[in-house]
Amino acid sequence: MGGKTKQAPRTKNNAKPSSSSRSAELLGSTTPVFVGFSAQADGNLVPFAPGFASAEQMPETFDVNISPQTQIILRKLSKKDPMTKKKALQELHELITESDLETLKNILPLWPKFYHNLATDIEHAVREQTQLVLQLLMSKCKRAMAPYLKQLVPVWLASRFDNYAPAASIASNSFRETFARTCEVCLHCQSEIIEYTTRNLTFHTPATLSIGKNLKPEESEQKYQRVVISSLKELSFFMEHTAPAEDVEQLRQGLATLLAHQKFWTFAKHKQPAIKAAWFECIYHMLQCSKLLEVLTPQKSQLITTSFQFIDDADPLVTPHVWGCVLLLQSNYNDWYAPLNIRKALLPKLSTLLSNAFNRNAQAICPNLLPFLSKITPDSLQGLDIYEFYQRFFDNLKAAIVGPHDPSLSKSDTSIMHSSYFECLRFMLQQINNDAGRTALVEQFAFGLLEQQLLQPIGQLLLSENAHAKYFFQHTSALVAFWDRQCNNEINKSSCSLYVKLLNVFWTRIFEMVTQHLAAEDVNEQWLSHVLLLVQDLHVANPSLETQCVKFLEAEVEVTTSEKTSQPSTTSKKGDGYAAFIQKELKQLVVKLVRICLDKANSSNNSVRYIHQIRTLTKMFADAEFYKSLTDMAELEATLDKFVALLEQMNNEACEAVVEILFEILALLEPAQRFDYIAQKLLKLQQDRVQNLLLHRLLSYPLCTEPAVRQMLASPETCAIISRIAEEVVVDNNRDKLNLLHKCFFQTDTGDILINAETVDKIVLAMSAPLEQPPSNDMVEVCGSFIAQIMPVICSQANSSLAVRQQVFLRLYKFSLEQRVGDHLSEDTLWEITTCWQDALSSKDIEIDDVLLRSCAKIVEELANNAELNAGSLESMAEAMAKFVICSTENIEDEPQRLTRIDETIAALLSSELKTDESVLQFERHCVYLETLQESISAGVALDHADLDEHKILPLLRRVALNFTTICKLVCRVENPQLGPQTNEGEDELTEDYCDPNANVLKQWSESIITEILQSVKVASTAETWMEVNSQLTGSGEELVLCLSEQIRSFMANSSELVDIIKERMKQAAVQQDSVMSCRQLGYLIYYSQYAAFEESATILLHEDLAELFVSQGALKAYVMTLQHMLPKLSQKALNLNSAIMRTEPPDMWVKAAVFRCLLLNNFQSDLNEQTDRNIIASALQFLTRVGEQQNAQKELLHYNVELLTHPYESVLNTVEIIQLLNEILQRFPYELTIKNWDAIRIGLSSWVLTVSKSIIHYSDPKTSFFIVAVFQLFATLINFIRSEKQKSSTEMLKNVVDEWESLFAREVNVVLFKAYYQLTHDTTVQPESRVCYEALLERLMPALEVLDYSFVYGFCKAPNSKVSLDHLCNLLLKQLHSPQHSVRMNAVQALRQLTPHFVADDIMVNDKQNDNLEAASSTICKWHFLNRFEDFLTRYDALMRKYLEEFSFKLTDLEDLEPIDRHDAFSYLLIWDCIINVCAKSPVALRSVYTSWLNENRYEENFLHFLFRAMPLASIEG
């Protein structure tokens, strides 16, 4: 269709060039081609520098030694696309890396041509990758590159100055790595470098550099500018590194050619600052080399004019090089000014530059000002008066320094401008001073400089808000100090006569300025601070400045420039840096200022501002002469009185400064006079702040060591002050006051402290009070740390009373037990407090008597009852209690006495009303009862009752966990404790800081400790049972149980003889067969070392050992109870008919029944069974048959139709276990039952339900509860089996069994069971302590009630003579919809659903009759139908829901403020409506209309719909 002909696909490793004209663009021949400048340079051809081939000269074929792959890469380097070239360079880099030297030699002749083109590519990534390739080539080829250096070096050097930093950096690094001597390589390639740079600067244009590149104009211009900049910088680099060379003739010729070309001079005025800067840099290097100056001579005028033309250039790149050229021109040519018109070309630019703050380029220009100024001579000004120039120069510079700038100058610019200004000013005045023949006019000019350039700016800065005044004052001080030093050091005073006069004028004017403004009534705050700043700078004035000399070649004048930091350090009063005026004029000025400020402070309402200035001034001079001169009486006491009078008027932060001054003056008095003044004057002051400051001074060294001060501190007045401070610290947490309290406890060499015991008591009681409060701020940490630090002091040498020490100890002890690390309490502080009281016990500073021990035990009891205690808190408390036991007894040397005291201490700390033998027994019975109900485990020990208040359980567990953890801390060894640091040889080395954690472990254990451990193990086992049967256990409760259990397991795993004792005691307790938990707790023995090593097999081994033990001792009940608890952990088939228990004949029937049930559970859990398992079934059925035969002989053996309360526990337990065994068999293999077995089940169940009916009233009796649950479970299993059998074909026998059940037994059993349930739940009052057991009983009955046939119940309740009517039935079920027990509510819903069809059927009949009676049909609200039974309950629910509906208005803005709905009430409300809707759904249309009319007329439906919207999630309503 006219399309292009497809080309044949390219093949891999195709070495032939493509048809594109770019295919050979940058390829060269196999040998270097050297082409000189063409004679046709001005013709059509484009000449190239030697050694650099043009793109048009690339060969079309390569050397045969170059591999095809390499040829492809080289061709890619000629492509236009930057990405293609970049990838080709990366491939080339990889190729070079993998190739050897011989292979690389083949491509070396071609590389310079590629490098020349790629190093100047427009794409920066290509240039960077090119430099990487060159770097790699040079590192691998080394000497093999020598023949090509002259082709590479010019471009290589230019690449060092690439404007893309990564490319320039790589080029610089590779050049430096390759050539150790830069000068030599530059000289070796100098002709190529000069020709390359000259060609770039004089011939090339953006167009010539872009031939064949197809670049955009802006890209061509960018490339050209980059080449120009790099060429200029390359030339500068060349001149800099070849300056030491002797022969520079070739360079002269090249530069002469370059300078003669007019295009070169155009770069000086280029619009790009980078090109302009590079040009001036190049000129700068030419001017620096004396051998090249003659080359510049022909263009000297043009060069001078060009350089001075840009003296005010603002670009930071250009300025340094311009000024460098200007200074070199001044230095190299005495007639540098000849080509210039100074008045028009230089002075206006210079004035503008100075006035404009150097165009914000001060860093580059200011260092050049002094050398520039030194070259200004009368001749150079071309008739302009030199002093007029100087005046103009300093005026302009002063305007830049003092004047405002928007935006403000930077600190660095401001600093260097000030330095330059004062350097020039010092230079000028020094020149005038050194001129012995100066005239009066010249001297007058010097005074004018002082007044206009120094004093006037000072006056302006004192009154202004200029933030840079400090720089001016610092340099002024240094200048004045310089004059002062010159005057004092010169032997010939006439040589510094000008300085003497200048100093006199300076001090006279300073005194006038300061005193004149300070005498005003209202002193400006800014002015006052600036005066102070000036005085401070004068006080630390240092005339010895760090200097740096700048020398100009072939110049006879040396000019010194000064560099001064912005923050001079304070000079010593001795040595070279000392200025004599400090002790003369400055001291007089300071005295004058202090006296004026004192008067101002006394008369002003705002004395603080003056006090701070006074304190700053007095720090400068602290000698007696200075302080005496502050008053007219010239006495120190008069000065003290003046400051005390001032102090009496204040109570603010300024007091501290006044007190500092007072004590500086007091130090100048004699000791007796000093202490008398303090006692009689200072301590009588009443201001709190002043008292604090005075006390701080008295408690500080060295005053605190004086006997007179100690006597002052013991006075009642001082004690009252200290007590007040302690009380204030607790409130405001003031650090200064706290430090003051610390100082009170400074100990002398004798161990005494500075205050008496009464004061100590007040301090420690006040500071320890916050420890009794919860940590709500940092005050607790501060006070705790304070008490911990001073505790050793207050306990030694009777520094405090015994009662207070004990009270503080109890506070610390309670704090350690109660508090934990948090936001307001750090770990370090808590450790400080804990170790504090422990150290006090260990050192006998605190001795525990019986009274104190009872107080400690009371603290433990209070904290153990805290509901917020978690596992971590208990661990910390136990640690502290164990430390208390050890520390309080470790100093008793007699070992029996020590052990006795340990037992007494442990007994006191661990005794508790929360944990008694009775409470532990109640907890055990309660949990055994719940477990027996829920898990169908045999309670082989008689239970009288099982009621327990649930709120007592967690306190009991917390106390047991705390006690057991404490004992573990005392008796358990730490396995493999971490030793101290190791030596270099790897051997363990015990250092002095190492503490063996097992050092204090008890080696002997009293019977009380063993009893406590055994009780804890039993409670832990009971708690695990409680956790398993309690579905509503909170997270904290579960954590507590798991923590206690883990502690028991850890204890049993400990390698200690005590664990062996505990193990034997546990076995002995189980053999006694008097406690279910004594058997259950044996499960902990799997963590004992004997069994723990076997890991997963530990339970099996333990079971075998216990079976042998119990069977051998006849403790068969103990074995059964242990087996039932271990059964879930035993592997399948672990029990069989050959087990030890099967070879015995237990006297109790329940034991054998329980064993058979365990056999079934252990062998029939999996889906596959073995043939031998039938033997177990046969044995179980044989056992049941034998029991049935015994029942025939003993009528009450299985408790048919009896009241259980009068029967023994053991006999009832026998029946319960038989029922549970029947239930297990019926669940697992019902088809193995014979007709005899079925008869036993049917007859037994029908008889047992009668027993349930007679005994249900005594449901709280444990044995009765177990029996009721077992019967209900058997009923549920039987009904489920019958229903499943009716759904499938069955044997004839089973059909007969089912038919007989339904015809003879079903109705009676269903009705009797419902009546029992009704009796159990109707109007039953349950005590709070019985609530848990009652709900557990109901929970176990629910599965049976779910399969109950309510058709029998309906018929029974409808009978006229029935005691439970339909009203009773409905009221019960509707009432249960609001039951707190979820399963009861759901059972009520299910029952109502089953009864609904029966009630609806009755309503249909009534409705039909009502339709025949028109008068009745017209009734407004019908009262005869089923829903009417819901009326009372709907009314109650509407009342409950009304509070939620009244505040609900469907406004989105009000939704977030609605009260949350009670979930229990709402769910019950929804359930009753679910039942109502179900009634309507099951009814026909006519009856449904009656129902809905009734709901609508009573507005029940409206309320319900309103509530549905109210109960919706907020997001749903908004949507």
Side-chain angles (χ1 to χ4, degrees), residues 50-52 111-112 115-116 119 131 134 138 145-161 171 174-175 178-179 181-194 196-197 200 230-231 234-235 237-238 242:
F52 297 93
W111 174 245
Y115 183 68
H116 178 259
Q131 300 306 327
L134 175 64
M138 295 303 300
M145 292 293 290
Y148 314 102
L149 283 182
K150 290 189 176 183
Q151 301 173 65
L152 292 172
V153 167
V155 184
W156 196 352
L157 280 177
S159 298
R160 289 171 57 100
F161 307 105
S174 63
F175 192 87
T178 305
F179 306 112
R181 295 185 288 273
T182 306
C183 179
E184 292 182 9
V185 72
C186 287
L187 291 174
H188 176 68
C189 305
Q190 66 175 327
S191 61
E192 287 76 16
I193 294 172
I194 294 171
Y196 174 74
T197 54
N200 289 338
S230 60
S231 298
E234 180 180 1
L235 198 55
F237 179 86
F238 178 81
T242 59

Side-chain angles (χ1 to χ4, degrees), residues 1493-1511:
S1493 298
W1494 180 80
L1495 292 171
N1496 185 50
E1497 290 172 2
N1498 284 282
R1499 303 188 68 179
Y1500 294 134
E1501 179 186 8
E1502 179 184 347
N1503 294 339
F1504 176 61
L1505 292 175
H1506 197 180
F1507 173 77
L1508 284 181
F1509 280 104
R1510 172 66 175 84

Side-chain angles (χ1 to χ4, degrees), residues 69-70 151 425 512 575 597 704 838 849 887 991 1009 1043 1080 1085 1101 1363:
Q69 182 183 0
T70 306
Q151 301 173 65
L425 190 60
E512 290 176 358
C597 287
C704 64
Q838 291 175 8
D849 54 19
C887 294
T991 64
I1009 292 178
C1043 172
R1080 191 191 197 286
L1085 293 181
L1101 294 175
K1363 293 183 179 180

Side-chain angles (χ1 to χ4, degrees), residues 202-263:
T202 60
F203 173 77
H204 277 305
T205 64
T208 60
L209 286 175
S210 305
I211 293 177
K213 303 293 185 182
N214 294 332
L215 301 178
K216 297 177 182 178
E218 59 270 17
E219 292 177 338
S220 299
E221 182 62 29
Q222 290 174 5
K223 178 177 180 180
Y224 174 69
Q225 291 178 7
R226 188 170 60 254
V227 170
V228 169
I229 294 170
S230 60
S231 298
L232 288 168
K233 291 192 174 184
E234 180 180 1
L235 198 55
S236 300
F237 179 86
F238 178 81
M239 288 187 288
E240 179 183 359
H241 287 84
T242 59
E246 296 294 334
D247 185 12
V248 292
E249 185 59 32
Q250 194 172 358
L251 179 59
R252 284 200 197 99
Q253 294 176 5
L255 291 178
T257 303
L258 184 64
L259 291 170
H261 204 292
Q262 191 56 37
K263 183 177 180 181

Side-chain angles (χ1 to χ4, degrees), residues 450-548:
L450 173 65
E451 179 64 31
Q452 298 170 17
Q453 312 304 329
L454 201 64
L455 293 173
Q456 283 184 7
I458 289 176
Q460 294 177 26
L461 292 172
L462 287 176
L463 294 172
S464 73
E465 297 181 359
N466 195 322
H468 299 145
K470 60 179 181 179
Y471 296 105
F472 199 93
F473 293 162
Q474 289 168 0
H475 286 281
T476 298
S477 303
L479 181 61
V480 174
F482 171 75
W483 296 341
D484 185 81
R485 186 181 65 177
Q486 294 297 108
C487 295
N488 287 283
N489 290 351
E490 291 291 339
I491 299 176
N492 184 7
K493 300 298 181 181
S494 61
S495 62
C496 56
S497 59
L498 178 64
Y499 292 156
V500 174
K501 297 176 183 178
L502 292 174
L503 284 172
N504 290 334
V505 173
F506 174 81
W507 286 112
T508 302
R509 291 284 290 113
I510 290 295
F511 266 88
E512 290 176 358
M513 283 191 287
V514 170
T515 55
Q516 177 184 357
H517 288 280
L518 196 57
E521 183 175 349
D522 185 17
V523 180
N524 182 273
E525 184 71 28
Q526 188 70 38
W527 181 87
L528 192 59
S529 63
H530 278 183
V531 166
L532 192 63
L533 182 62
L534 174 61
V535 173
Q536 285 179 307
D537 288 330
L538 288 170
H539 182 254
V540 297
N542 180 13
S544 302
L545 301 178
E546 298 177 1
T547 60
Q548 178 180 351

